Amino acid sequence: MTDRGVRSDPSWWRQAVVYQVYPRSFADANGDGVGDLPGVLSRVDHLVSLGVDAVWFSPFYPSALSDGGYDVDDYRDVDPTIGTLDDFDAVVAALHAHGIRVIIDIVPNHSSDRHVRFQEALAAGPGSPARDRYIFRDGQGVAGELPPNDWRSFFGGPAWTRLPDGQWYLHLFTPHQPDWNWDHPDVAEDFLRTLRFWGDRGVDGFRVDVAMCLAKDLREPYAAWEVVSANLPRPIGAGGPSRFPDGAHPLLDRAELDTIYASWRQVFDSYDPPLFAVGETWVEPHRLARYSDPRGLGQAFNFDFLWNPWEATRFREVIRDSLALAQTAGTSTTWVLSNHDLVRHATRYAPSPLAPDQRLTAAVPIGPEAREQGLRRATAATMLALALPGSAYLYQGEELGLHEVTDIPAASVQDPQARLVDGVLITRDGCRVPLPWTTSGPSFGFGDAEAHLPQPEWFGAVSVQTQTASDTSTLALYRRALQLRHELQCGEELTWLDLGADVVGFRRPNGWVSVTNFGASPTALPPGEVRLTNVDLVDGLLPADASAWLVPVATTDARTS
Ligand code: NOJ
């Protein structure tokens, strides 16, 4: 067990910088090519020098890795390739000792097909009480040879898999991820136990995987997939307003979720200070408040922000709407630009032959100029996000300005969602390639062995070691930005500044000003002392694809006198 010294402030998360660690690709201490918890322990200094407030760990549970660990065999243990529960305690203790909170991923929509409950259900056979914990149905057709309905999994292929005994089970993701039946009291009770297990172990909060999915309507007659899928929010579906009344879509965002998360809230609030939770919520913006309500999970990912093309108008709209929604719900919003499911934002913002809508999930090789422009826009966007009120979520490697790795050989692909679309390989592996820590050496300091996903040659030049030696590196910029954000952090309001159509500018209550130039020509900055830019000013003007932070000159005088 770890001490709770850092957990004294109940609202620590409202404006926290949360750094996402994808454990298998962060650092490998035992030289088996896969990242592990001792590896994280050996790199705590990196997280400290970066200045993050919390670390969110993607799943580290025992898993066959059919979906990168989001296929959980046991919710209350650590995968042996990643470490042990003792290693977990040691990581929590080390982070807490530096005032860094710990958030872990919880995956409540589905388990893995190796989970003891699923294995029990298989063994117990059709019609047994053990099968009620998951979603088993008889098939259609003369001998039940057809699936119960035509629903598809989010990763492609049917959402139903047939067993040798003839029954079918539902899985919204891979066939190795059977969906739990959340109408079953054992399922609900077991997750409460899991929350308490980790709460007692010292974690500060949870990131809730596909938080909008758990409850389902499996009553017959089933809605046709054409109708179900036409009403999924982006990027799972096409987006746009749902034809189902709010809370009545058969697969997601259902009204019953309120009861589930209210029971989780009771567990969260039984700790002092309460545990934190953020939902992975691909829902229409007007539904976000259901999850972020303080009586529910408390915070919800606002993914509209990362969906933005590089356009000032769109950024302004999304920021305004997100802040208003969060305020209505009595919470703070989130700003996410990259995570383990999406093309890294340095690549997304680069000029590319792909249509803007494709860039979140697909990447193609781009030339050096495009890479440079993408990175410049990415750091400008990061500074903008970090200056906004709310929590900022960073994904491991973005502090190095990493681009998506676009040349993963077909034989190395791990992502079950990987597919070729019009000759373009779509895979989430490109953002999950193990981090480069050193300029050279086996797996660039990730570990002693070859990394589990191949690292490209250019990783050495962007490694932590290379960038630490430079004052002008992306890493140096992130460190300065996080430090300054801490210094300047203040109340959760902003005042918009009118600096032209292509410029997003705002002032925080203490006078901290952030300006981002989305246009092609340099723009004048408002009065103030410039404290940080992602690229140098040109003749005192903010160039294209750049951000600047300013503080009032009077504040500066007071600070230095
Ligand atoms: C969302 C996770 O972020 C993603 O990586 C995973 O594949 C799906 N949920 C299914 O768990």
Side-chain angles (χ1 to χ4, degrees), residues 67 70 107 110 155 173 177 207 209-210 280 340-341 428 432:
D67 181 20
Y70 284 89
V107 189
H110 43 269
F155 286 169
F173 296 90
Q177 294 165 292
R207 175 265 189 191
D209 190 62
V210 289
E280 188 205 16
H340 66 297
D341 289 331
R428 297 173 297 176
R432 299 176 180 182

